[in-house]
Amino acid sequence: MNGLYTALMCSFHDDGRVNEQGLREIVRYNLDVQQVDGLYVNGSTGENFLISTEQKKQIFRVVKDEVEDEAKLIAQVGSLNIDEATDLAQYATDLGYNAISAVTPFYYKFDFDEIKDYYFTILDSVDNDLIIYSIPALTGVNMNLEQFGELFAHDRIIGVKFTAPDFFLLERIRHQFPDKLIYSGFDEMLLPASVLNIDGAIGSTFNINGKRARQIFELAQNGQLNEARDVQKVTNDLITDVLSNGLYPTIKEILKVQGVDAGTLRKPMKPLTADGAKEAERIANTFIT
């Protein structure tokens, strides 16, 4: 399960339906052009928290049908509704996903015992391995080293998608749990995370910048830090421009410039203005090869 995974975008029609053909095109672009090792399906980048349970299942099904056994697949099943989470976990497992993942429960201020019970309930419902999705900036859930240890004590919690800038905690997790998988979740911080001996990364911008991500990761692994820093600088120039223009709509527009039917966004997300679309085209022409 080591390697680079795209946090997969999903293509939607203007009326909010899943655009299956567009989704397949996004999958193919990631595998054939960006050459990532796998896909992280129905995460934040896939607008997961804006769609219905049936649409989530549809996306899981279409992606698996397109990929088959060509790449590794991780199914993000986390939900505030534990019944939905366990239902999706079983559905993705039955489809043959290599692992499931679940965001920490959010919005309500759950204590750690509640968070732990959430993860163990999901695992009790399914015969699959689970990767914690930790993104404190969006969930408000900050877990410490001891709490990660309590979760990692479950032999089927195999790792964490670590989307946080706390490199002290990242290093401590790496030191304390050498057999658990650590995936970096902040694309702009891939180099410093790689120096700390992560096992891979899961990134939104890998949809359009996966090849550079691999360069950063492999150069760092080989000790070529100056070269890796140069590639991270270009990557961060790209990320700066994308964030300034709107993360998700800009990535979708760049995919369109590359000939991929990336569709539109789910409301309440808004599409790019005409000027925003021109800026996305400029970014694509400047950075995407």
Side-chain angles (χ1 to χ4, degrees), residues 11-20 55 58 266:
S11 181
F12 294 100
H13 293 293
D14 289 341
D15 62 3
R17 291 179 298 116
V18 175
N19 178 351
E20 290 196 5
Q55 286 178 312
Q58 181 184 8
R266 289 279 304 189

Side-chain angles (χ1 to χ4, degrees), residues 15 17 20 48 60 72 74 83 92 99 103 105 115 122 154 175 181 195 218 236 256 259 267 278 284:
D15 62 3
R17 291 179 298 116
E20 290 196 5
N48 172 76
F60 283 143
K72 299 292 186 181
I74 301 171
D83 295 328
V103 69
I115 293 169
I122 294 173
H154 196 300
H175 173 75
L181 294 166
V195 170
E218 293 183 351
N236 286 0
K256 291 177 186 177
K267 292 182 177 181
K278 289 180 182 178

Side-chain angles (χ1 to χ4, degrees), residues 77 99-102 119 122-123 128-132 156-159:
V77 302
I100 59 174
S101 181
Y119 280 116
I122 294 173
L123 282 167
N128 206 341
D129 295 328
L130 184 142
I131 296 159
I132 299 162
R156 286 194 289 118
I157 294 183
I158 61 172

Side-chain angles (χ1 to χ4, degrees), residues 40 76 101-105 119 131-144 148 151-152 159-165 169 173 183-186:
Y40 187 86
Q76 198 294 124
S101 181
V103 69
T104 50
Y119 280 116
I131 296 159
I132 299 162
Y133 179 12
S134 177
I135 182 166
L138 295 184
T139 62
V141 177
N142 284 282
M143 293 188 294
N144 59 36
F148 274 110
L151 295 176
F152 285 154
V160 58
K161 179 179 185 280
F162 190 90
T163 309
L169 178 58
I173 293 172
Y183 301 99
S184 172
F186 271 142

